[in-house]
Amino acid sequence: MSQASGGFHQRLQRLEPRRQQAFMAALCERLLPNYVLYAQTSGHGDPHGWRVILDLVWERLVVHDAKIDFERQAEKLAELEPPADDDSFGARRALEAVVALSALLDTLRGEAPEAVLEVSRTSKGGVRAYIELTEGEEDAGRLAVLVRDHPLMADENDFQDAVLEAVEGPLDRDAIKLLRRLGRNDGVSNLGLSMD
């Protein structure tokens, strides 16, 4: 289905809610190592708590009528945010993981039509911030080209394309398992960081 009509964002928005949720869940999986590394280095956060919430989302994707209180999960997730006064690079990337999972929970609690785009942009925004930090280019034009052509951004775009193609296909239990494995990306985050 790689030749589906319309651009990337249009294809995302046309997906039925469950497929959008599966897309977002896969992206959240890939953001988790950033949150874990922040928690390990700062002593703030709770990777296990974050993981449990995302696991419940995967459960709902497999078992449609699973009784899960996503209102309560959203409350728990809010408690896992980095401290508001921590403006470090790691805290911002950890916050992105929380924001993405929060947007996903919003779709499970009701209407959140822009959530899938928000999660996609959040993940790409973290990659952009990482490239800007590591490359240190002052000229805005050169920086834009550098970001666009950077291997990490190419990898992010390829990853999101692969996830979108996966959720456009059949989405049975086995497909969900494969999607989850794809999202885990061998423990490597969108920034190329690993929990190992």
Side-chain angles (χ1 to χ4, degrees), residues 40-57:
Q40 289 172 346
T41 56
S42 71
H44 296 293
D46 176 6
H48 175 74
W50 197 98
R51 166 91 266 155
V52 166
I53 295 169
L54 185 55
D55 286 347
L56 289 170
V57 171

Side-chain angles (χ1 to χ4, degrees), residues 126-140:
V127 174
R128 183 177 301 106
Y130 185 76
I131 295 167
E132 290 173 359
L133 177 77
T134 57
E135 300 295 337
E137 176 59 63
E138 296 295 319
D139 179 87

Side-chain angles (χ1 to χ4, degrees), residues 102-117:
S102 179
L104 172 51
L105 292 179
D106 286 346
T107 69
L108 290 158
R109 296 184 302 151
E111 286 297 309
E114 296 296 314
V116 71
L117 295 178

Side-chain angles (χ1 to χ4, degrees), residues 30-145:
R30 197 163 183 244
L31 292 172
L32 177 58
N34 298 337
Y35 185 88
V36 171
L37 290 168
Y38 170 74
Q40 289 172 346
T41 56
S42 71
H44 296 293
D46 176 6
H48 175 74
W50 197 98
R51 166 91 266 155
V52 166
I53 295 169
L54 185 55
D55 286 347
L56 289 170
V57 171
W58 286 114
E59 182 180 333
R60 168 59 73 81
L61 288 169
V62 173
V63 184
H64 304 294
D65 54 357
K67 297 286 183 243
I68 299 167
D69 183 353
F70 285 111
E71 198 71 48
R72 179 71 189 112
Q73 298 311 313
E75 291 168 11
K76 289 180 182 178
L77 182 62
E79 297 167 11
L80 304 182
E81 285 186 17
D85 61 350
D86 187 345
D87 194 34
S88 67
F89 182 83
R92 290 196 301 270
R93 303 298 71 85
L95 183 59
E96 286 167 357
V98 172
V99 164
L101 185 50
S102 179
L104 172 51
L105 292 179
D106 286 346
T107 69
L108 290 158
R109 296 184 302 151
E111 286 297 309
E114 296 296 314
V116 71
L117 295 178
E118 181 184 345
V119 173
S120 172
R121 290 181 184 131
T122 296
S123 188
K124 287 182 182 182
V127 174
R128 183 177 301 106
Y130 185 76
I131 295 167
E132 290 173 359
L133 177 77
T134 57
E135 300 295 337
E137 176 59 63
E138 296 295 319
D139 179 87
R142 282 201 297 264
L143 181 61
V145 171

